[in-house]
Structures are given as structure tokens and as C-alpha cells.
mmCIF file of all heavy atoms in Angstrom:
data_model
loop_
_atom_site.group_PDB
_atom_site.id
_atom_site.type_symbol
_atom_site.label_atom_id
_atom_site.label_comp_id
_atom_site.label_asym_id
_atom_site.label_seq_id
_atom_site.Cartn_x
_atom_site.Cartn_y
_atom_site.Cartn_z
ATOM 1 N N PHE A 1 -8.270 16.785 -6.872
ATOM 2 C CA PHE A 1 -7.326 17.227 -7.906
ATOM 3 C C PHE A 1 -5.926 16.653 -7.721
ATOM 4 O O PHE A 1 -5.380 16.191 -8.846
ATOM 5 C CB PHE A 1 -7.221 18.742 -7.809
ATOM 6 C CG PHE A 1 -6.171 19.422 -8.629
ATOM 7 C CD1 PHE A 1 -6.296 19.387 -10.061
ATOM 8 C CD2 PHE A 1 -5.145 19.955 -7.984
ATOM 9 C CE1 PHE A 1 -5.249 19.940 -10.799
ATOM 10 C CE2 PHE A 1 -4.121 20.501 -8.840
ATOM 11 C CZ PHE A 1 -4.190 20.367 -10.287
ATOM 12 N N VAL A 2 -5.459 16.510 -6.557
ATOM 13 C CA VAL A 2 -4.143 15.939 -6.310
ATOM 14 C C VAL A 2 -4.151 14.524 -6.733
ATOM 15 O O VAL A 2 -3.279 13.977 -7.372
ATOM 16 C CB VAL A 2 -3.705 16.161 -4.835
ATOM 17 C CG1 VAL A 2 -2.342 15.397 -4.596
ATOM 18 C CG2 VAL A 2 -3.508 17.657 -4.530
ATOM 19 N N PHE A 3 -5.188 13.903 -6.257
ATOM 20 C CA PHE A 3 -5.226 12.398 -6.670
ATOM 21 C C PHE A 3 -5.308 12.239 -8.191
ATOM 22 O O PHE A 3 -4.474 11.306 -8.779
ATOM 23 C CB PHE A 3 -6.604 11.869 -6.129
ATOM 24 C CG PHE A 3 -6.554 11.154 -4.746
ATOM 25 C CD1 PHE A 3 -7.587 11.314 -3.971
ATOM 26 C CD2 PHE A 3 -5.538 10.386 -4.418
ATOM 27 C CE1 PHE A 3 -7.491 10.756 -2.571
ATOM 28 C CE2 PHE A 3 -5.349 9.779 -3.161
ATOM 29 C CZ PHE A 3 -6.461 9.942 -2.289
ATOM 30 N N ILE A 4 -5.937 13.037 -8.870
ATOM 31 C CA ILE A 4 -6.114 12.885 -10.336
ATOM 32 C C ILE A 4 -4.781 13.231 -10.999
ATOM 33 O O ILE A 4 -4.223 12.478 -11.901
ATOM 34 C CB ILE A 4 -7.218 13.820 -10.876
ATOM 35 C CG1 ILE A 4 -8.585 13.255 -10.472
ATOM 36 C CG2 ILE A 4 -7.138 13.781 -12.412
ATOM 37 C CD1 ILE A 4 -9.750 14.102 -10.798
ATOM 38 N N SER A 5 -4.089 14.321 -10.506
ATOM 39 C CA SER A 5 -2.895 14.581 -10.981
ATOM 40 C C SER A 5 -1.689 13.580 -10.936
ATOM 41 O O SER A 5 -0.992 13.386 -11.788
ATOM 42 C CB SER A 5 -2.297 15.945 -10.307
ATOM 43 O OG SER A 5 -3.266 17.009 -10.605
ATOM 44 N N ILE A 6 -1.862 12.894 -9.780
ATOM 45 C CA ILE A 6 -0.839 11.706 -9.488
ATOM 46 C C ILE A 6 -1.401 10.597 -10.435
ATOM 47 O O ILE A 6 -0.398 9.965 -11.127
ATOM 48 C CB ILE A 6 -0.872 11.352 -8.067
ATOM 49 C CG1 ILE A 6 -0.300 12.606 -7.238
ATOM 50 C CG2 ILE A 6 -0.040 10.117 -7.873
ATOM 51 C CD1 ILE A 6 -0.451 12.339 -5.757
ATOM 52 N N ALA A 7 -2.547 10.239 -10.402
ATOM 53 C CA ALA A 7 -3.066 9.053 -11.092
ATOM 54 C C ALA A 7 -2.752 9.156 -12.605
ATOM 55 O O ALA A 7 -2.444 8.101 -13.261
ATOM 56 C CB ALA A 7 -4.550 8.819 -10.910
ATOM 57 N N LYS A 8 -2.839 10.375 -13.236
ATOM 58 C CA LYS A 8 -2.549 10.435 -14.613
ATOM 59 C C LYS A 8 -1.074 10.061 -15.012
ATOM 60 O O LYS A 8 -0.906 9.888 -16.205
ATOM 61 C CB LYS A 8 -2.715 11.989 -14.986
ATOM 62 C CG LYS A 8 -4.242 12.372 -15.111
ATOM 63 C CD LYS A 8 -4.489 13.833 -15.115
ATOM 64 C CE LYS A 8 -3.921 14.518 -16.331
ATOM 65 N NZ LYS A 8 -4.253 15.891 -16.533
ATOM 66 N N GLN A 9 -0.184 10.052 -14.060
ATOM 67 C CA GLN A 9 1.130 9.546 -14.267
ATOM 68 C C GLN A 9 1.343 8.135 -14.333
ATOM 69 O O GLN A 9 2.471 7.603 -14.678
ATOM 70 C CB GLN A 9 2.072 10.226 -13.255
ATOM 71 C CG GLN A 9 1.979 11.661 -12.845
ATOM 72 C CD GLN A 9 2.069 12.533 -14.149
ATOM 73 O OE1 GLN A 9 2.977 12.270 -14.932
ATOM 74 N NE2 GLN A 9 1.172 13.452 -14.306
ATOM 75 N N TYR A 10 0.314 7.425 -13.939
ATOM 76 C CA TYR A 10 0.441 5.874 -14.032
ATOM 77 C C TYR A 10 -0.316 5.342 -15.230
ATOM 78 O O TYR A 10 -1.433 5.872 -15.490
ATOM 79 C CB TYR A 10 -0.274 5.326 -12.759
ATOM 80 C CG TYR A 10 0.488 5.562 -11.396
ATOM 81 C CD1 TYR A 10 0.430 6.815 -10.848
ATOM 82 C CD2 TYR A 10 1.246 4.537 -10.748
ATOM 83 C CE1 TYR A 10 1.175 7.082 -9.674
ATOM 84 C CE2 TYR A 10 1.852 4.822 -9.676
ATOM 85 C CZ TYR A 10 1.800 6.120 -9.045
ATOM 86 O OH TYR A 10 2.558 6.292 -7.864
ATOM 87 N N LYS A 11 0.273 4.302 -15.884
ATOM 88 C CA LYS A 11 -0.357 3.857 -17.072
ATOM 89 C C LYS A 11 -1.389 2.804 -16.745
ATOM 90 O O LYS A 11 -2.251 2.473 -17.644
ATOM 91 C CB LYS A 11 0.788 3.130 -17.939
ATOM 92 C CG LYS A 11 1.417 1.992 -17.376
ATOM 93 C CD LYS A 11 2.448 1.338 -18.305
ATOM 94 C CE LYS A 11 3.097 0.067 -17.792
ATOM 95 N NZ LYS A 11 3.731 0.221 -16.526
ATOM 96 N N GLU A 12 -1.391 2.253 -15.557
ATOM 97 C CA GLU A 12 -2.316 1.232 -15.189
ATOM 98 C C GLU A 12 -3.770 1.824 -15.084
ATOM 99 O O GLU A 12 -3.973 2.968 -14.670
ATOM 100 C CB GLU A 12 -1.955 0.617 -13.838
ATOM 101 C CG GLU A 12 -0.713 -0.230 -13.785
ATOM 102 C CD GLU A 12 0.560 0.582 -13.786
ATOM 103 O OE1 GLU A 12 0.573 1.876 -13.660
ATOM 104 O OE2 GLU A 12 1.712 0.008 -14.014
ATOM 105 N N PRO A 13 -4.855 0.960 -15.410
ATOM 106 C CA PRO A 13 -6.162 1.421 -15.153
ATOM 107 C C PRO A 13 -6.493 1.700 -13.709
ATOM 108 O O PRO A 13 -5.741 1.025 -12.790
ATOM 109 C CB PRO A 13 -6.998 0.207 -15.649
ATOM 110 C CG PRO A 13 -5.969 -0.540 -16.652
ATOM 111 C CD PRO A 13 -4.657 -0.329 -16.021
ATOM 112 N N LYS A 14 -7.367 2.647 -13.438
ATOM 113 C CA LYS A 14 -7.656 2.931 -12.105
ATOM 114 C C LYS A 14 -9.055 2.497 -11.581
ATOM 115 O O LYS A 14 -9.984 2.568 -12.409
ATOM 116 C CB LYS A 14 -7.589 4.514 -11.885
ATOM 117 C CG LYS A 14 -6.204 5.056 -12.042
ATOM 118 C CD LYS A 14 -5.829 5.221 -13.491
ATOM 119 C CE LYS A 14 -4.409 5.747 -13.606
ATOM 120 N NZ LYS A 14 -3.897 5.819 -15.019
ATOM 121 N N ILE A 15 -9.182 2.083 -10.356
ATOM 122 C CA ILE A 15 -10.457 1.804 -9.655
ATOM 123 C C ILE A 15 -10.576 2.866 -8.543
ATOM 124 O O ILE A 15 -9.739 2.832 -7.698
ATOM 125 C CB ILE A 15 -10.515 0.495 -9.161
ATOM 126 C CG1 ILE A 15 -10.413 -0.590 -10.235
ATOM 127 C CG2 ILE A 15 -11.836 0.241 -8.404
ATOM 128 C CD1 ILE A 15 -10.329 -2.041 -9.732
ATOM 129 N N ILE A 16 -11.506 3.755 -8.748
ATOM 130 C CA ILE A 16 -11.700 4.820 -7.652
ATOM 131 C C ILE A 16 -12.871 4.527 -6.864
ATOM 132 O O ILE A 16 -14.034 4.284 -7.346
ATOM 133 C CB ILE A 16 -11.958 6.228 -8.436
ATOM 134 C CG1 ILE A 16 -10.657 6.584 -9.244
ATOM 135 C CG2 ILE A 16 -12.286 7.263 -7.297
ATOM 136 C CD1 ILE A 16 -10.947 7.624 -10.228
ATOM 137 N N ILE A 17 -12.643 4.314 -5.490
ATOM 138 C CA ILE A 17 -13.690 3.918 -4.621
ATOM 139 C C ILE A 17 -14.096 5.118 -3.812
ATOM 140 O O ILE A 17 -13.186 5.801 -3.195
ATOM 141 C CB ILE A 17 -13.238 2.675 -3.666
ATOM 142 C CG1 ILE A 17 -12.730 1.572 -4.503
ATOM 143 C CG2 ILE A 17 -14.344 2.367 -2.728
ATOM 144 C CD1 ILE A 17 -12.044 0.542 -3.655
ATOM 145 N N ALA A 18 -15.304 5.634 -3.784
ATOM 146 C CA ALA A 18 -15.680 6.808 -3.066
ATOM 147 C C ALA A 18 -17.199 6.601 -2.710
ATOM 148 O O ALA A 18 -17.989 5.855 -3.270
ATOM 149 C CB ALA A 18 -15.604 7.984 -4.091
ATOM 150 N N PRO A 19 -17.588 7.286 -1.640
ATOM 151 C CA PRO A 19 -18.976 7.295 -1.212
ATOM 152 C C PRO A 19 -19.853 7.594 -2.396
ATOM 153 O O PRO A 19 -19.564 8.456 -3.211
ATOM 154 C CB PRO A 19 -19.094 8.326 -0.135
ATOM 155 C CG PRO A 19 -17.690 8.357 0.464
ATOM 156 C CD PRO A 19 -16.699 8.164 -0.708
ATOM 157 N N LYS A 20 -21.018 6.953 -2.476
ATOM 158 C CA LYS A 20 -21.977 7.047 -3.651
ATOM 159 C C LYS A 20 -22.303 8.488 -3.966
ATOM 160 O O LYS A 20 -22.470 8.964 -5.038
ATOM 161 C CB LYS A 20 -23.218 6.344 -3.312
ATOM 162 C CG LYS A 20 -24.226 6.288 -4.486
ATOM 163 C CD LYS A 20 -25.336 5.370 -4.272
ATOM 164 C CE LYS A 20 -26.357 5.355 -5.402
ATOM 165 N NZ LYS A 20 -25.747 5.021 -6.723
ATOM 166 N N ASN A 21 -22.427 9.360 -2.892
ATOM 167 C CA ASN A 21 -22.873 10.792 -3.174
ATOM 168 C C ASN A 21 -21.840 11.630 -3.887
ATOM 169 O O ASN A 21 -22.162 12.753 -4.244
ATOM 170 C CB ASN A 21 -23.226 11.540 -1.870
ATOM 171 C CG ASN A 21 -22.246 11.626 -0.928
ATOM 172 O OD1 ASN A 21 -21.366 10.671 -0.599
ATOM 173 N ND2 ASN A 21 -22.100 12.805 -0.270
ATOM 174 N N ILE A 22 -20.562 11.073 -4.020
ATOM 175 C CA ILE A 22 -19.491 11.919 -4.684
ATOM 176 C C ILE A 22 -18.984 11.161 -5.905
ATOM 177 O O ILE A 22 -18.108 11.621 -6.482
ATOM 178 C CB ILE A 22 -18.384 12.374 -3.767
ATOM 179 C CG1 ILE A 22 -17.633 11.126 -3.165
ATOM 180 C CG2 ILE A 22 -18.988 13.240 -2.560
ATOM 181 C CD1 ILE A 22 -16.417 11.591 -2.384
ATOM 182 N N THR A 23 -19.647 10.076 -6.307
ATOM 183 C CA THR A 23 -19.058 9.348 -7.459
ATOM 184 C C THR A 23 -19.091 10.211 -8.727
ATOM 185 O O THR A 23 -18.195 10.233 -9.482
ATOM 186 C CB THR A 23 -19.860 8.048 -7.768
ATOM 187 O OG1 THR A 23 -21.139 8.236 -7.816
ATOM 188 C CG2 THR A 23 -19.454 7.092 -6.614
ATOM 189 N N TYR A 24 -20.214 11.018 -8.863
ATOM 190 C CA TYR A 24 -20.257 11.853 -10.093
ATOM 191 C C TYR A 24 -19.539 13.121 -9.932
ATOM 192 O O TYR A 24 -19.084 13.717 -11.010
ATOM 193 C CB TYR A 24 -21.778 12.101 -10.475
ATOM 194 C CG TYR A 24 -22.414 10.961 -11.245
ATOM 195 C CD1 TYR A 24 -23.007 9.986 -10.534
ATOM 196 C CD2 TYR A 24 -22.260 10.845 -12.604
ATOM 197 C CE1 TYR A 24 -23.488 8.839 -11.216
ATOM 198 C CE2 TYR A 24 -22.718 9.763 -13.295
ATOM 199 C CZ TYR A 24 -23.490 8.757 -12.621
ATOM 200 O OH TYR A 24 -23.911 7.693 -13.292
ATOM 201 N N GLN A 25 -19.241 13.566 -8.787
ATOM 202 C CA GLN A 25 -18.292 14.641 -8.562
ATOM 203 C C GLN A 25 -16.808 14.212 -9.094
ATOM 204 O O GLN A 25 -16.159 14.970 -9.689
ATOM 205 C CB GLN A 25 -18.159 15.022 -7.068
ATOM 206 C CG GLN A 25 -19.395 15.737 -6.553
ATOM 207 C CD GLN A 25 -19.287 16.108 -5.091
ATOM 208 O OE1 GLN A 25 -18.188 16.310 -4.618
ATOM 209 N NE2 GLN A 25 -20.401 16.015 -4.362
ATOM 210 N N TRP A 26 -16.537 12.981 -8.807
ATOM 211 C CA TRP A 26 -15.290 12.415 -9.257
ATOM 212 C C TRP A 26 -15.230 12.483 -10.794
ATOM 213 O O TRP A 26 -14.324 12.862 -11.409
ATOM 214 C CB TRP A 26 -15.039 10.952 -8.718
ATOM 215 C CG TRP A 26 -14.176 10.905 -7.662
ATOM 216 C CD1 TRP A 26 -14.467 10.906 -6.219
ATOM 217 C CD2 TRP A 26 -12.687 10.896 -7.671
ATOM 218 N NE1 TRP A 26 -13.364 10.788 -5.569
ATOM 219 C CE2 TRP A 26 -12.215 10.834 -6.334
ATOM 220 C CE3 TRP A 26 -11.743 10.856 -8.608
ATOM 221 C CZ2 TRP A 26 -10.929 10.733 -6.041
ATOM 222 C CZ3 TRP A 26 -10.531 10.702 -8.327
ATOM 223 C CH2 TRP A 26 -9.985 10.729 -6.993
ATOM 224 N N LYS A 27 -16.365 12.066 -11.401
ATOM 225 C CA LYS A 27 -16.377 12.081 -13.011
ATOM 226 C C LYS A 27 -16.152 13.556 -13.425
ATOM 227 O O LYS A 27 -15.370 13.755 -14.374
ATOM 228 C CB LYS A 27 -17.649 11.611 -13.363
ATOM 229 C CG LYS A 27 -17.750 11.543 -14.923
ATOM 230 C CD LYS A 27 -19.113 10.929 -15.475
ATOM 231 C CE LYS A 27 -19.167 10.995 -17.017
ATOM 232 N NZ LYS A 27 -20.462 10.386 -17.577
ATOM 233 N N ASP A 28 -16.811 14.475 -12.786
ATOM 234 C CA ASP A 28 -16.758 15.820 -13.255
ATOM 235 C C ASP A 28 -15.283 16.362 -13.041
ATOM 236 O O ASP A 28 -14.822 17.104 -13.898
ATOM 237 C CB ASP A 28 -17.788 16.765 -12.489
ATOM 238 C CG ASP A 28 -19.210 16.493 -12.756
ATOM 239 O OD1 ASP A 28 -19.483 15.875 -13.809
ATOM 240 O OD2 ASP A 28 -20.063 16.902 -11.945
ATOM 241 N N GLU A 29 -14.710 16.011 -11.981
ATOM 242 C CA GLU A 29 -13.279 16.414 -11.730
ATOM 243 C C GLU A 29 -12.425 15.763 -12.804
ATOM 244 O O GLU A 29 -11.440 16.456 -13.380
ATOM 245 C CB GLU A 29 -12.789 15.998 -10.296
ATOM 246 C CG GLU A 29 -13.392 16.789 -9.253
ATOM 247 C CD GLU A 29 -12.571 17.991 -8.843
ATOM 248 O OE1 GLU A 29 -11.613 18.285 -9.441
ATOM 249 O OE2 GLU A 29 -12.902 18.548 -7.895
ATOM 250 N N LEU A 30 -12.570 14.568 -13.137
ATOM 251 C CA LEU A 30 -11.772 13.870 -14.206
ATOM 252 C C LEU A 30 -11.985 14.536 -15.575
ATOM 253 O O LEU A 30 -11.018 14.844 -16.257
ATOM 254 C CB LEU A 30 -12.195 12.443 -14.327
ATOM 255 C CG LEU A 30 -11.741 11.486 -13.220
ATOM 256 C CD1 LEU A 30 -12.515 10.143 -13.305
ATOM 257 C CD2 LEU A 30 -10.220 11.258 -13.234
ATOM 258 N N LEU A 31 -13.204 14.952 -15.883
ATOM 259 C CA LEU A 31 -13.494 15.605 -17.121
ATOM 260 C C LEU A 31 -12.849 17.019 -17.134
ATOM 261 O O LEU A 31 -12.353 17.403 -18.205
ATOM 262 C CB LEU A 31 -15.041 15.797 -17.439
ATOM 263 C CG LEU A 31 -15.741 14.487 -17.579
ATOM 264 C CD1 LEU A 31 -17.260 14.737 -17.594
ATOM 265 C CD2 LEU A 31 -15.289 13.905 -18.878
ATOM 266 N N SER A 32 -12.899 17.705 -16.006
ATOM 267 C CA SER A 32 -12.168 18.997 -15.912
ATOM 268 C C SER A 32 -10.754 19.000 -16.169
ATOM 269 O O SER A 32 -10.125 20.065 -16.396
ATOM 270 C CB SER A 32 -12.540 19.717 -14.566
ATOM 271 O OG SER A 32 -11.904 19.124 -13.482
ATOM 272 N N GLU A 33 -10.140 17.813 -15.896
ATOM 273 C CA GLU A 33 -8.737 17.607 -16.075
ATOM 274 C C GLU A 33 -8.334 16.967 -17.344
ATOM 275 O O GLU A 33 -7.356 16.295 -17.625
ATOM 276 C CB GLU A 33 -8.104 16.736 -14.928
ATOM 277 C CG GLU A 33 -8.075 17.525 -13.555
ATOM 278 C CD GLU A 33 -7.383 18.891 -13.687
ATOM 279 O OE1 GLU A 33 -6.227 18.891 -14.127
ATOM 280 O OE2 GLU A 33 -7.924 19.773 -13.283
ATOM 281 N N ASP A 34 -9.294 17.027 -18.450
ATOM 282 C CA ASP A 34 -9.150 16.723 -19.737
ATOM 283 C C ASP A 34 -8.933 15.128 -19.955
ATOM 284 O O ASP A 34 -8.447 14.652 -20.821
ATOM 285 C CB ASP A 34 -7.887 17.263 -20.390
ATOM 286 C CG ASP A 34 -8.049 18.829 -20.612
ATOM 287 O OD1 ASP A 34 -9.291 19.323 -20.603
ATOM 288 O OD2 ASP A 34 -6.937 19.516 -20.584
ATOM 289 N N ILE A 35 -9.726 14.421 -18.988
ATOM 290 C CA ILE A 35 -9.762 12.943 -19.198
ATOM 291 C C ILE A 35 -10.940 12.707 -20.051
ATOM 292 O O ILE A 35 -12.070 13.214 -19.759
ATOM 293 C CB ILE A 35 -9.929 12.209 -17.730
ATOM 294 C CG1 ILE A 35 -8.842 12.552 -16.836
ATOM 295 C CG2 ILE A 35 -10.179 10.685 -18.117
ATOM 296 C CD1 ILE A 35 -7.448 12.024 -17.231
#
């Protein structure tokens, strides 16, 4: 959540590198923050 809150303040595209088992958790978190 903190990562996403910070990332939203940057206009640059983001590359998020995470272990495979949590990649879709990242997607869910982004969606929950109105991305």
C-alpha cells in the first residue's frame, strides 16, 4: 500500500518486480487503490 501510494505521485511508468506468487496480489492492490 505504501509503495503504491508513493508510486502514484510519479508520472513515469512503473515496472514492479515481485515473486511470481504475489504478482496478482499486486494487481489486486493496485485495483483497490483505484488504478
Side-chain angles (χ1 to χ4, degrees):
F1 167 70
V2 175
F3 268 141
I4 293 171
S5 298
I6 296 169
K8 287 166 68 175
Q9 309 304 315
Y10 291 75
K11 66 180 186 300
E12 289 77 10
K14 291 83 179 169
I15 299 176
I16 299 165
I17 305 170
K20 185 172 177 57
N21 64 313
I22 62 171
T23 53
Y24 279 92
Q25 290 180 32
W26 261 95
K27 180 179 180 179
D28 291 342
E29 289 265 11
L30 287 166
L31 292 173
S32 72
E33 292 304 310
D34 294 338
I35 305 297

